[in-house]
Amino acid sequence: MSASASIALLEALAALDESIASLTTTLAQSEGRLQKIAAERATLVVAHQVLETRQHDEEVKKRALEDEVRNLGRQSEQARDRQFRVHKLVDVQTVEREREELQRLSRDKRTEVEHQDALLTSLRAETEALNVREKALDKEISGDGDRYASTAGEAQGARDGKIAERRAIETQLAPPLLRKYDQVRERRGTALAKAFGGRCNSCQMALPPTFFQKLRRDAIIDQCPSCQRLIYAANP
Ligand SMILES: [Zn+2]
């Protein structure tokens, strides 16, 4: 096979490899996004459960506090009834102090109930925020999720096509040249370079003048002495 025919095949190969690499990236991104949404959704479910348990516990605490307030109210009423029944001044004063103490305790407990209410309100707001985020994610999963999946599907199909095209070219290239191409590509990412203006256009290193002249004169494929890419003259 002539060098120019090999060059044409190598160029087609390089273009295919670029497409395959870009499709592989698209595929990974689509799959990555889907996995990220699913992971966030799972985290939210756990957070939701934790929050629900906490809310339940705090509601139980609130009811206990309200019971205490009622209890203290009853005790206070009983003390008042007792106050009417006692006659000695010292006893009246004792009961009076007792009532005041009960009323103070009752005020404190009511304050605690208010704090508990505020806490529950903020927990409910947190739950609501989680619900909103969950709904948004569900929408993303059902809408964008399908879109990501179809992007991934398309990328997969296109990539399979490009890989098949590559196989067809592989069979036409001389095996040692293909091996060399693949070896360099694996190491450098790309395997082709053009000699232009006395330089390798890939690594930008100056080529030995005799080497450069030979590439132009004989229109052959060689390797860049610096980057080892397969190199040929851009305009022999
Ligand atoms: Zn080079």
Side-chain angles (χ1 to χ4, degrees), residues 20 23 28 47 52 57 61 64 92 101 115 166 179 182 206 208:
I20 291 167
L23 287 165
E52 242 169 43
D57 291 350
K61 265 193 226 164
V92 171
E101 178 62 13
H115 287 161
R166 193 189 199 275
R179 261 200 305 280
D182 281 336

Side-chain angles (χ1 to χ4, degrees), residues 159-206:
R159 198 173 69 138
D160 289 348
K162 297 284 177 194
I163 288 171
E165 282 182 55
R166 193 189 199 275
R167 294 236 169 79
I169 291 178
E170 283 170 16
T171 57
Q172 299 174 58
L173 267 172
L177 192 58
L178 177 62
R179 261 200 305 280
K180 189 51 83 183
Y181 172 92
D182 281 336
Q183 266 173 18
V184 178
R185 198 177 132 263
E186 207 165 291
R187 234 179 17 242
R188 302 264 175 194
T190 60
L192 279 196
K194 284 180 184 173
F196 183 77
R199 289 180 180 275
C200 165
N201 79 336
S202 210
C203 69
Q204 306 302 329
M205 293 299 282

